[in-house]
């Protein structure tokens, strides 16, 4: 059974930084894409960043230049380095693993950016 566990969320002041991590266990395949999504109160879940098995990354326009997604295949881990955080980045952040056949989600970690 695939399980994803996020960590690294918390309370930070605007302009600060956080690094999120997500570790996967029970992965059935070595070829998959990682993604970070977020959901703010009253809003739909949105894609923040995605990194393919070939390490090609894409970002939402709202985080380009501030967030960096990376992966460590040996550790089955994906990271999201978040810099220059803004109040509007406040949300629950979820990691996602997409193997093509299946899609898996973590339970989320809260990022709260104060002004």
């Amino acid at each position: 059974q695939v399980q994803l566990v996020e960590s690294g969320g918390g309370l930070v002041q605007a302009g600060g930084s956080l690094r999120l991590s997500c570790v996967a266990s029970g992965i059935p395949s070595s070829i998959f894409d990682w993604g970070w999504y977020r959901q703010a109160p009253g809003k739909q879940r949105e894609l923040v960043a995605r990194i393919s098995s070939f390490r090609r990354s894409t970002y939402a326009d709202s985080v380009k230049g501030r967030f960096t997604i990376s992966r460590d295949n040996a550790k089955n881990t994906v990271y999201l380095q978040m810099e220059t955080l803004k109040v509007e980045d406040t949300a629950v952040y979820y990691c996602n693993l997409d193997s093509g056949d299946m899609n898996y989600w973590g339970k989320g970690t809260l990022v709260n950016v104060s002004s």
Side-chain angles (χ1 to χ4, degrees), residues 6 20 35-49 62-63 67 80 82 87-95 105-113:
E6 301 100 335
L20 305 183
W36 283 101
Y37 291 72
R38 67 187 181 186
Q39 187 166 16
K43 295 187 177 181
Q44 289 190 334
R45 191 174 297 189
E46 63 175 358
L47 175 66
V48 176
S62 59
V63 307
F67 290 10
L80 185 68
M82 305 185 292
V87 172
E88 51 264 42
D89 294 319
T90 295
V92 177
Y93 284 70
Y94 299 89
C95 68
W105 293 90
K107 293 183 178 180
T109 184
L110 176 64
V111 172
N112 193 346
V113 185

Side-chain angles (χ1 to χ4, degrees), residues 2-8 19-25 27 32 34-36 70-72 75-80 93-97 104-109:
V2 176
Q3 288 189 325
L4 306 183
V5 179
E6 301 100 335
S7 62
R19 188 194 197 203
L20 305 183
S21 301
C22 177
V23 181
S25 60
I27 303 173
F32 54 87
W34 279 110
W36 283 101
S70 60
R71 63 190 289 168
D72 185 334
K75 296 181 179 180
N76 290 331
T77 301
V78 64
Y79 304 97
L80 185 68
Y93 284 70
Y94 299 89
C95 68
N96 171 264
L97 189 156
Y104 304 94
W105 293 90
K107 293 183 178 180
T109 184

Side-chain angles (χ1 to χ4, degrees), residues 56-68:
R56 175 176 293 180
S57 57
T58 57
Y59 298 90
D61 287 343
S62 59
V63 307
K64 280 181 182 177
R66 300 189 297 120
F67 290 10
T68 303

